[in-house]
Amino acid sequence: MAEADAPTLRALVVDYGGVLTTSLDTSTRDWIAADGLDPELVRTAMRTIIADSYGKGDGMIHGLETGRIPAAEFERQLAHELAQAGVSDVDPEGLLGRMFAGMREETGMTGALLRARAAGFKTALLSNSWGNEYPRERWHELFDETVISGEVGMRKPEPEIYRLVAERLGVTPEECVFVDDIATNIRGAVAVGMVGVHHTDVDATLAELEVLLGIPMRGPS
């Protein structure tokens, strides 16, 4: 028996930080330098904090991303954890804002969203929020739907959040391409049927999207 044809791709779903913006590593370096912190100590501490918390249903990062822990409380907890790891003198007030202040728009990726919409694809943002303020001024141009973890009480890589964004777009998960810079989140999307693109480089991602969606993704939008 011949295999059934693969579903037609109808939607492009993207992450925010590190995909529609410059890398989180760049922003983190800017924060470390601006606050006069020891880079190696901070990176080692953050790796441990993320590893200890990210996959737990009761971890502080889980609580922040699902909106259960307010940003100000998370900032206090994070400053405490950093101090415990030897990173002293971290001011908790406004910590998240300082951490993400260096993020800038990745125009190649926002241009790709505009081209996808112009070609008839539905588009959506699917982001795990760290309590940061999103620049929403152009969202009506870029997205048909937006799903922010702290606003819906669930987070990537939970399967329900991928199904929710597909449902809001009026498509099946199998009709979605999902782009994220975190491999765990890509695996979560693939597990529900989406086509995953692991974003490590803008040009590589745009080239892959051109193959998957069959439209030009580079050049003037």
Side-chain angles (χ1 to χ4, degrees):
M1 179 182 298
E3 292 186 7
D5 291 338
T8 299
L9 295 172
R10 298 174 54 205
L12 175 60
V13 182
V14 298
D15 177 40
Y16 179 71
V19 174
L20 296 186
T21 74
T22 49
S23 76
L24 299 181
D25 285 344
T26 299
S27 183
T28 299
R29 284 196 299 271
D30 291 348
W31 157 57
I32 290 170
D35 277 22
L37 306 176
D38 183 295
E40 288 306 314
L41 270 180
V42 172
R43 291 192 184 97
T44 300
M46 288 299 294
R47 281 195 295 267
T48 301
I49 291 166
I50 290 170
D52 286 348
S53 179
Y54 196 80
K56 295 180 180 178
D58 59 349
M60 68 178 190
I61 292 177
H62 183 280
L64 175 69
E65 290 182 339
T66 57
R68 182 170 49 84
I69 296 177
E73 174 60 26
F74 177 84
E75 289 173 328
R76 288 191 289 271
Q77 291 187 28
L78 180 57
H80 173 75
E81 292 292 331
L82 288 169
Q84 293 293 102
V87 185
S88 57
D89 301 322
V90 176
D91 182 3
E93 186 172 352
L95 176 55
L96 288 170
R98 299 198 306 278
M99 288 174 66
F100 297 124
M103 290 196 305
R104 298 290 181 266
E105 178 185 346
E106 193 61 81
T107 55
M109 294 303 300
T110 52
L113 284 167
L114 293 172
R115 281 185 281 274
R117 289 194 85 186
F121 291 91
K122 296 187 176 183
T123 61
L125 176 71
L126 177 56
S127 176
N128 280 357
S129 170
W130 273 42
N132 49 302
E133 292 294 327
Y134 293 88
R136 304 184 185 224
E137 295 81 7
R138 296 183 61 208
W139 280 14
H140 67 285
E141 299 175 48
L142 297 171
F143 308 115
D144 294 293
E145 295 290 342
T146 59
V147 174
I148 308 298
S149 65
E151 297 174 2
V152 298
M154 51 184 141
R155 68 200 269 270
K156 299 173 292 186
E158 296 170 0
E160 293 80 9
I161 199 166
Y162 302 103
R163 295 189 181 110
L164 175 63
V165 73
E167 179 184 344
R168 287 188 176 182
L169 287 171
V171 299
T172 66
E174 291 79 7
E175 293 172 313
C176 297
V177 176
F178 175 66
V179 182
D180 200 295
D181 61 322
I182 297 177
T184 300
N185 294 338
I186 292 295
R187 288 193 288 270
V190 170
V192 303
M194 292 183 176
V195 176
V197 174
H198 186 196
H199 177 81
T200 58
D201 172 83
V202 172
D203 284 339
T205 294
L206 295 180
E208 189 165 356
L209 289 175
E210 285 179 342
V211 172
L212 289 169
L213 302 182
I215 60 172
M217 281 291 178
R218 289 166 285 192
S221 55

